[in-house]
Amino acid sequence: MSPMTEQEYVEQRLDDQIAWFDRKSGANQSRFKLLRFLEIVAAAAVPTLVVVEQEVLTAVAGALVVVISGALALYKFDENWSSYRSTWSALMREKMLHQTGVDPYDDKGRYELLVRRVEGILAEESRGWTEIRASSRESKGS
């Protein structure tokens, strides 16, 4: 198997990762905003339902607030959205610097430098993800 060319790396690795982080960022943003909106609506419904003496609906609305709040804390859509968008932005920056041939991509070692920097960004994202999951598991165990 021959090594990837510069163009293959950009198309098959970098562009693929940029698209993945863009999709995941958008999906997490949408989920976060939807759940937060539903949480606000359910919380706002509680006092109204109390006034009109709808005990069952009041309890349901209160329970929904708790469930939605728990889901937001558990799935961390807002943190994922931010992290994925940040990684997307870093990858796009590297791609633009590389394509335009500006510093640090202005000499003959530009392909190797691109690979090292992109893989470093991806490794950092992976490391951050692992740390978040580990701390989440630790807090569940305590």
Side-chain angles (χ1 to χ4, degrees):
M1 183 173 176
S2 60
M4 289 179 107
T5 66
E6 192 168 341
Q7 182 177 350
E8 289 171 335
Y9 180 81
V10 169
E11 291 172 358
Q12 295 173 21
R13 177 70 168 163
L14 180 54
D15 287 347
D16 178 67
Q17 291 298 298
I18 287 170
W20 189 91
F21 281 103
D22 189 42
R23 277 191 317 274
K24 291 299 184 177
S25 172
N28 278 274
Q29 178 186 27
S30 296
R31 290 176 184 137
F32 172 74
K33 287 181 175 180
L34 174 64
L35 286 175
R36 183 61 82 204
F37 176 75
L38 293 174
E39 181 182 39
I40 292 166
V41 170
V46 170
T48 304
L49 293 169
V50 167
V51 169
V52 295
E53 299 181 11
Q54 294 292 319
E55 293 85 10
V56 173
L57 291 178
T58 302
V60 169
L64 270 174
V65 171
V66 171
V67 169
I68 292 169
S69 178
L72 287 168
L74 178 65
Y75 295 111
K76 301 181 184 306
F77 294 124
D78 56 334
E79 291 177 29
N80 291 340
W81 164 28
S82 176
S83 176
Y84 291 157
R85 184 54 57 191
S86 210
T87 301
W88 174 87
S89 181
L91 292 172
M92 285 297 293
R93 179 179 185 277
E94 293 304 320
K95 183 178 179 179
M96 289 302 112
L97 291 173
H98 177 262
Q99 285 182 335
T100 57
V102 299
D103 186 45
Y105 299 106
D106 54 357
D107 66 12
K108 63 182 178 184
R110 54 186 267 136
Y111 175 43
E112 181 180 343
L113 181 61
L114 176 69
V115 171
R116 290 185 188 285
R117 289 175 63 128
V118 166
E119 295 305 319
I121 291 167
L122 295 173
E124 187 61 34
E125 168 64 27
S126 180
R127 215 174 1 264
W129 179 258
T130 303
E131 288 171 8
I132 288 170
R133 296 301 163 227
S135 70
S136 179
R137 274 185 252 122
E138 286 174 13
S139 65
K140 287 178 189 174
S142 36

